[in-house]
Amino acid sequence: MNQEKSIFSKIIDREIPADIIHEDEKCIVIHDINPRARIHLLVIPKKPIPTLFDLGPEDKDIMAHMMLLLPQLATAQGLDGFRTQINTGESGGQEVFHIHIHLLGN
């Protein structure tokens, strides 16, 4: 199946620019281009998993890695509290079908 790459895959592959604030072997973190809070980051796995419904047991390390990264990112941004959001599926508000975690803080 030949699917078109998501905008996040294009960012990971450096095909389009983004404000990258963190990158490691498992994920990339960018500033959201349409922020809903003073700090609005997107934590994106490098593996293109469309939705939470598509997660498999082999993805637990990626998801755990991203969850453990969230407090480090918040602290680096000067936040002492934050909220997270993962939209899943079209009816769940997901616009880009490549799992990502929103980190929001004021």
Side-chain angles (χ1 to χ4, degrees):
M1 185 160 95
N2 187 9
Q3 276 186 297
E4 186 175 329
K5 289 169 78 170
S6 74
I7 189 170
F8 295 152
S9 289
K10 291 177 181 178
I11 289 169
I12 291 164
D13 292 341
R14 302 302 197 270
E15 294 173 14
I16 58 175
D19 186 3
I20 299 167
I21 66 158
H22 173 87
E23 183 173 14
D24 59 40
E25 71 283 351
K26 293 184 180 181
C27 69
I28 192 166
V29 181
I30 63 173
H31 284 278
D32 194 297
I33 60 170
N34 189 19
R36 305 284 189 213
R38 184 177 64 83
I39 303 294
H40 188 167
L41 306 178
L42 302 177
V43 183
I44 307 160
K46 288 187 172 178
K47 179 181 178 183
I49 305 163
T51 76
L52 288 178
F53 290 118
D54 300 298
L55 283 173
E58 69 278 6
D59 300 315
K60 66 182 177 188
D61 289 340
I62 293 170
M63 296 305 292
H65 177 78
M66 293 192 311
M67 293 302 288
L68 291 169
L69 185 59
L70 291 167
Q72 296 173 40
L73 294 165
T75 300
Q77 295 293 314
L79 298 173
D80 61 2
F82 62 94
R83 57 192 191 281
T84 58
Q85 181 172 328
I86 303 174
N87 299 329
T88 304
E90 192 172 332
S91 63
Q94 187 173 2
E95 295 177 6
V96 178
F97 286 83
H98 184 140
I99 285 177
H100 53 288
I101 303 171
H102 295 259
L103 182 156
L104 301 110
N106 291 311

